[in-house]
């Protein structure tokens, strides 16, 4: 069931989103060769709890950490570990929190030191896919309009759009209806209404779209081991422009 949030509920989600943005910005500043993803995990949990919130990932269906840390060919759900990051890697960080009972979810991919131009373009195009998809999150549009915008831009650059994973509705639960694929046909699917809150999250691979799950039961990796980038924000459908609840900069809408 899709839930529509009222003004009071949206305001609580704004506060949760603003806190999550601050946490992720702090993590971004620490990412460089030599740091471990376990250190990033500890920092995220400390900042979230000090602000009176809860890390929503920790313990969710048994997931043992506060962030997902997914380097290089890992798409999502990577376990933080004690291995220092190396120059030339890319790292995707996904994090969520609960503040006053309301969820927020966001992810980014960044360079670890100097990276290849090909990797830098993948990160840039993945972010562009998000903004093009978010532009379609308008009252009266269809869910497929978001999905198609993401797919068209990624495939125009020769990239694979991960099909086994998708975005989702969000509110008092981390995963609510509807599911939001990153591929699809425009004009199809659920009609969007003001008050819907969506976690839109393109996962774009430099190679093919097929993936497999690691032996730990969590980490998802591209089957051809090509690099993958992930970018996500929590978005509210309004009667006007979409509102990005986890981003305070100038929205590219």
């Amino acid at each position: 069931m899709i839930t529509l949030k009222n003004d009071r509920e949206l305001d609580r989600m704004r506060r949760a989103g603003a806190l999550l943005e601050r946490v992720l910005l702090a993590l971004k500043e620490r990412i460089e060769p030599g740091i471990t993803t376990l250190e990033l995990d500890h920092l995220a949990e400390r900042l979230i709890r000090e602000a009176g919130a809860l890390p929503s990932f920790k313990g969710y269906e048994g997931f043992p950490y506060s962030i997902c840390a997914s380097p290089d060919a890992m798409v999502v759900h990577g376990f933080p570990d004690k291995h220092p990051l190396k120059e030339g890697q890319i790292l995707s960080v996904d994090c969520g929190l609960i503040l006053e009972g309301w969820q927020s979810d966001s992810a980014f991919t960044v360079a670890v030191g100097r990276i290849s131009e090909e990797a830098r373009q993948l990160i840039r195009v993945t972010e562009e896919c998000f903004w093009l998809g978010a532009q379609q999150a308008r009252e009266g549009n269809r869910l497929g309009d978001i999905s198609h915008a993401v797919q068209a831009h990624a495939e125009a650059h020769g990239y694979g759009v991960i099909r086994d994973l998708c975005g989702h509705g969000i509110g008092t639960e981390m995963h609510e209806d509807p599911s939001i694929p990153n591929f699809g046909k425009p004009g199809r699917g659920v009609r969007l209404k003001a008050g819907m809150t969506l976690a839109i999250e393109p996962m774009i691979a430099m190679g093919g779209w097929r993936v497999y799950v690691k032996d730990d039961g969590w980490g998802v990796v591209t089957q051809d081991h090509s690099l993958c980038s992930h970018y996500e924000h929590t978005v509210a459908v309004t009667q006007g422009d979409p509102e990005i609840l986890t981003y305070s900069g100038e929205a590219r809408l």
Side-chain angles (χ1 to χ4, degrees):
M1 181 178 71
I2 297 173
T3 61
L4 302 181
K5 283 71 176 181
N6 61 34
D7 290 344
R8 180 182 61 84
E9 293 167 336
L10 281 174
D11 190 55
R12 290 190 176 184
M13 291 192 70
R14 288 185 188 101
R15 292 200 291 271
L19 174 58
L20 182 56
E21 181 184 25
R22 292 196 297 273
V23 171
L24 292 187
L25 286 173
L27 297 185
K28 273 187 181 180
E29 290 177 357
R30 294 290 305 278
I31 295 173
E32 61 182 7
I35 196 168
T36 71
T37 50
L38 195 58
E39 290 176 89
L40 297 175
D41 181 75
H42 291 162
L43 174 60
E45 182 170 2
R46 178 173 62 82
L47 293 174
I48 290 169
R49 293 190 185 277
E50 285 178 352
L54 296 172
S56 56
F57 288 11
K58 192 163 189 176
Y60 181 78
E61 295 186 355
F63 189 79
Y65 299 98
S66 296
I67 66 170
C68 299
S70 307
D72 299 328
M74 189 173 293
V75 181
V76 287
H77 304 161
F79 282 4
D81 60 35
K82 296 180 179 180
H83 297 108
L85 293 172
K86 297 179 180 179
E87 184 97 20
Q89 289 188 287
I90 66 173
L91 178 70
S92 298
V93 175
D94 192 357
C95 187
L97 59 80
I98 308 168
L99 181 65
E100 299 175 338
W102 290 88
Q103 302 260 356
S104 193
D105 192 2
S106 184
F108 64 82
T109 301
V110 292
V112 181
R114 292 173 294 178
I115 61 173
S116 69
E117 184 54 39
E118 291 81 8
R120 193 172 302 281
Q121 176 178 276
L122 175 68
I123 293 172
R124 174 180 58 79
V125 170
T126 302
E127 294 186 12
E128 291 170 353
C129 285
F130 166 81
W131 290 105
L132 290 166
Q135 283 180 10
Q136 300 299 319
R138 298 175 183 274
E139 187 169 45
N141 279 3
R142 297 279 188 174
L143 198 64
D145 298 328
I146 298 173
S147 304
H148 177 74
V150 171
Q151 179 184 12
H153 190 64
E155 292 182 350
H157 288 81
Y159 296 144
V161 178
I162 303 303
R163 294 178 175 236
D164 293 359
L165 301 155
C166 61
H168 50 91
I170 185 170
T172 56
E173 301 293 333
M174 186 194 311
H175 294 126
E176 297 183 352
D177 291 333
S179 296
I180 309 168
N182 290 306
F183 65 98
K185 295 182 179 180
R188 302 285 183 86
V190 172
R191 189 172 297 280
L192 304 180
K193 296 181 180 180
M196 293 175 67
T197 44
L198 312 172
I200 300 172
E201 49 180 320
M203 291 158 273
I204 308 300
M206 192 175 287
W209 59 264
R210 289 179 172 82
V211 297
Y212 68 93
V213 180
K214 291 182 62 180
D215 291 341
D216 62 21
W218 283 97
V220 179
V221 182
T222 55
Q223 196 171 91
D224 59 9
H225 294 282
S226 62
L227 293 180
C228 191
S229 179
H230 181 201
Y231 191 72
E232 174 185 19
H233 283 298
T234 300
V235 180
V237 179
T238 74
Q239 293 181 340
D241 290 338
E243 182 179 355
I244 315 301
L245 302 179
T246 47
Y247 182 80
S248 61
E250 185 176 349
R252 288 176 269 175
L253 295 169

